[in-house]
mmCIF file of all heavy atoms in Angstrom:
data_model
loop_
_atom_site.group_PDB
_atom_site.id
_atom_site.type_symbol
_atom_site.label_atom_id
_atom_site.label_comp_id
_atom_site.label_asym_id
_atom_site.label_seq_id
_atom_site.Cartn_x
_atom_site.Cartn_y
_atom_site.Cartn_z
ATOM 1 N N LEU A 32 101.846 150.354 106.343
ATOM 2 C CA LEU A 32 102.538 150.190 105.058
ATOM 3 C C LEU A 32 101.532 150.075 103.908
ATOM 4 O O LEU A 32 101.710 150.688 102.856
ATOM 5 C CB LEU A 32 103.452 148.973 105.095
ATOM 6 C CG LEU A 32 104.237 148.669 103.824
ATOM 7 C CD1 LEU A 32 105.092 149.860 103.396
ATOM 8 C CD2 LEU A 32 105.079 147.420 104.012
ATOM 9 N N ALA A 33 100.475 149.309 104.115
ATOM 10 C CA ALA A 33 99.443 149.168 103.081
ATOM 11 C C ALA A 33 98.765 150.511 102.802
ATOM 12 O O ALA A 33 98.465 150.830 101.645
ATOM 13 C CB ALA A 33 98.412 148.124 103.491
ATOM 14 N N LEU A 34 98.551 151.312 103.835
ATOM 15 C CA LEU A 34 97.957 152.644 103.648
ATOM 16 C C LEU A 34 98.887 153.553 102.849
ATOM 17 O O LEU A 34 98.440 154.286 101.962
ATOM 18 C CB LEU A 34 97.629 153.281 104.989
ATOM 19 C CG LEU A 34 96.440 152.707 105.731
ATOM 20 C CD1 LEU A 34 96.336 153.297 107.129
ATOM 21 C CD2 LEU A 34 95.162 152.959 104.956
ATOM 22 N N VAL A 35 100.161 153.510 103.170
ATOM 23 C CA VAL A 35 101.140 154.318 102.431
ATOM 24 C C VAL A 35 101.170 153.884 100.964
ATOM 25 O O VAL A 35 101.169 154.724 100.048
ATOM 26 C CB VAL A 35 102.539 154.228 103.073
ATOM 27 C CG1 VAL A 35 103.607 154.821 102.156
ATOM 28 C CG2 VAL A 35 102.543 154.922 104.425
ATOM 29 N N LEU A 36 101.169 152.588 100.716
ATOM 30 C CA LEU A 36 101.173 152.101 99.331
ATOM 31 C C LEU A 36 99.877 152.470 98.610
ATOM 32 O O LEU A 36 99.905 152.756 97.401
ATOM 33 C CB LEU A 36 101.417 150.595 99.297
ATOM 34 C CG LEU A 36 102.827 150.155 99.679
ATOM 35 C CD1 LEU A 36 102.923 148.638 99.761
ATOM 36 C CD2 LEU A 36 103.853 150.709 98.694
ATOM 37 N N SER A 37 98.764 152.510 99.317
ATOM 38 C CA SER A 37 97.499 152.965 98.712
ATOM 39 C C SER A 37 97.611 154.427 98.308
ATOM 40 O O SER A 37 97.156 154.828 97.233
ATOM 41 C CB SER A 37 96.332 152.808 99.699
ATOM 42 O OG SER A 37 96.060 151.463 99.939
ATOM 43 N N TRP A 38 98.202 155.230 99.181
ATOM 44 C CA TRP A 38 98.391 156.640 98.877
ATOM 45 C C TRP A 38 99.327 156.820 97.678
ATOM 46 O O TRP A 38 99.023 157.577 96.756
ATOM 47 C CB TRP A 38 98.942 157.366 100.107
ATOM 48 C CG TRP A 38 99.269 158.802 99.843
ATOM 49 C CD1 TRP A 38 98.392 159.832 99.625
ATOM 50 C CD2 TRP A 38 100.572 159.364 99.745
ATOM 51 N NE1 TRP A 38 99.080 160.997 99.408
ATOM 52 C CE2 TRP A 38 100.423 160.737 99.478
ATOM 53 C CE3 TRP A 38 101.858 158.832 99.868
ATOM 54 C CZ2 TRP A 38 101.514 161.584 99.321
ATOM 55 C CZ3 TRP A 38 102.934 159.685 99.720
ATOM 56 C CH2 TRP A 38 102.761 161.042 99.453
ATOM 57 N N VAL A 39 100.440 156.102 97.667
ATOM 58 C CA VAL A 39 101.380 156.172 96.537
ATOM 59 C C VAL A 39 100.667 155.770 95.247
ATOM 60 O O VAL A 39 100.793 156.439 94.220
ATOM 61 C CB VAL A 39 102.623 155.282 96.790
ATOM 62 C CG1 VAL A 39 103.452 155.109 95.526
ATOM 63 C CG2 VAL A 39 103.466 155.857 97.916
ATOM 64 N N GLU A 40 99.887 154.704 95.306
ATOM 65 C CA GLU A 40 99.154 154.240 94.131
ATOM 66 C C GLU A 40 98.175 155.300 93.625
ATOM 67 O O GLU A 40 97.998 155.463 92.420
ATOM 68 C CB GLU A 40 98.417 152.952 94.474
ATOM 69 C CG GLU A 40 97.710 152.317 93.302
ATOM 70 C CD GLU A 40 97.093 150.999 93.693
ATOM 71 O OE1 GLU A 40 96.045 151.006 94.357
ATOM 72 O OE2 GLU A 40 97.683 149.959 93.323
ATOM 73 N N SER A 41 97.560 156.037 94.550
ATOM 74 C CA SER A 41 96.608 157.079 94.145
ATOM 75 C C SER A 41 97.289 158.243 93.435
ATOM 76 O O SER A 41 96.644 158.998 92.716
ATOM 77 C CB SER A 41 95.824 157.594 95.357
ATOM 78 O OG SER A 41 96.621 158.441 96.164
ATOM 79 N N LEU A 42 98.590 158.389 93.616
ATOM 80 C CA LEU A 42 99.340 159.463 92.973
ATOM 81 C C LEU A 42 99.792 159.106 91.561
ATOM 82 O O LEU A 42 100.238 159.982 90.815
ATOM 83 C CB LEU A 42 100.568 159.819 93.812
ATOM 84 C CG LEU A 42 100.304 160.334 95.223
ATOM 85 C CD1 LEU A 42 101.619 160.537 95.959
ATOM 86 C CD2 LEU A 42 99.500 161.623 95.185
ATOM 87 N N ILE A 43 99.697 157.838 91.196
ATOM 88 C CA ILE A 43 100.175 157.382 89.889
ATOM 89 C C ILE A 43 98.993 157.321 88.924
ATOM 90 O O ILE A 43 98.100 156.484 89.086
ATOM 91 C CB ILE A 43 100.856 156.004 90.007
ATOM 92 C CG1 ILE A 43 102.037 156.089 90.977
ATOM 93 C CG2 ILE A 43 101.304 155.507 88.632
ATOM 94 C CD1 ILE A 43 102.623 154.742 91.354
ATOM 95 N N PRO A 57 99.149 147.889 97.436
ATOM 96 C CA PRO A 57 98.935 147.460 98.829
ATOM 97 C C PRO A 57 98.774 145.948 98.980
ATOM 98 O O PRO A 57 98.985 145.399 100.065
ATOM 99 C CB PRO A 57 97.632 148.161 99.234
ATOM 100 C CG PRO A 57 97.432 149.238 98.242
ATOM 101 C CD PRO A 57 98.125 148.810 96.996
ATOM 102 N N VAL A 84 91.340 153.288 103.959
ATOM 103 C CA VAL A 84 91.565 153.953 102.673
ATOM 104 C C VAL A 84 90.278 154.607 102.181
ATOM 105 O O VAL A 84 90.296 155.738 101.681
ATOM 106 C CB VAL A 84 92.126 152.965 101.620
ATOM 107 C CG1 VAL A 84 92.081 153.545 100.223
ATOM 108 C CG2 VAL A 84 93.552 152.593 101.979
ATOM 109 N N THR A 87 89.751 157.698 104.169
ATOM 110 C CA THR A 87 90.769 158.720 103.935
ATOM 111 C C THR A 87 90.747 159.275 102.510
ATOM 112 O O THR A 87 90.794 160.484 102.311
ATOM 113 C CB THR A 87 92.170 158.146 104.223
ATOM 114 O OG1 THR A 87 92.171 157.568 105.523
ATOM 115 C CG2 THR A 87 93.234 159.218 104.144
ATOM 116 N N PHE A 88 90.694 158.391 101.526
ATOM 117 C CA PHE A 88 90.819 158.806 100.131
ATOM 118 C C PHE A 88 89.548 158.630 99.315
ATOM 119 O O PHE A 88 89.489 159.056 98.175
ATOM 120 C CB PHE A 88 91.916 158.002 99.404
ATOM 121 C CG PHE A 88 93.240 157.974 100.098
ATOM 122 C CD1 PHE A 88 93.775 156.779 100.529
ATOM 123 C CD2 PHE A 88 93.953 159.124 100.317
ATOM 124 C CE1 PHE A 88 95.008 156.730 101.164
ATOM 125 C CE2 PHE A 88 95.174 159.097 100.954
ATOM 126 C CZ PHE A 88 95.706 157.898 101.380
#
Side-chain angles (χ1 to χ4, degrees):
L32 180 57
L34 287 172
V35 168
L36 290 174
S37 292
W38 175 71
V39 168
E40 185 176 76
S41 75
L42 298 176
I43 301 170
V84 168
T87 307
F88 308 118

